[in-house]
Amino acid sequence: LAQPADRQQMEALTRYMRAALAPYNWPVWLGVHDRRAEGLYLFENGQRVSFFAWHRAPRPELGAQP
């Protein structure tokens, strides 16, 4: 599973997934959960999440088609 650690990695992952899944718009699970404790977000491997903008739509690329 992808584990984006910052906005740059999230935007690169978004571009990759859009190209890989086109023309469909399927949701993608990043493996983030808070099963251990409410509000404590972890990746499936137990690493603590430090970047939280994954739930927001990234900035559109210049010249990109919707």
Side-chain angles (χ1 to χ4, degrees):
L1 291 170
Q3 297 180 350
D6 57 33
R7 180 167 302 284
Q8 182 180 8
Q9 289 180 8
M10 186 66 216
E11 288 174 354
L13 177 61
T14 299
R15 286 190 302 273
Y16 173 79
M17 294 308 298
R18 283 185 179 157
L21 298 176
Y24 306 103
N25 184 23
W26 296 332
V28 176
W29 179 55
L30 295 176
V32 174
H33 62 81
D34 67 345
R35 291 187 299 247
R36 187 178 298 172
E38 185 71 27
L40 172 63
Y41 292 96
L42 303 171
F43 286 108
E44 276 296 299
N45 68 357
Q47 181 180 345
R48 193 168 188 162
V49 175
S50 60
F51 173 70
F52 291 92
W54 35 261
H55 65 283
R56 296 185 193 112
R59 297 178 307 230
E61 297 177 48
L62 292 176
Q65 298 294 323

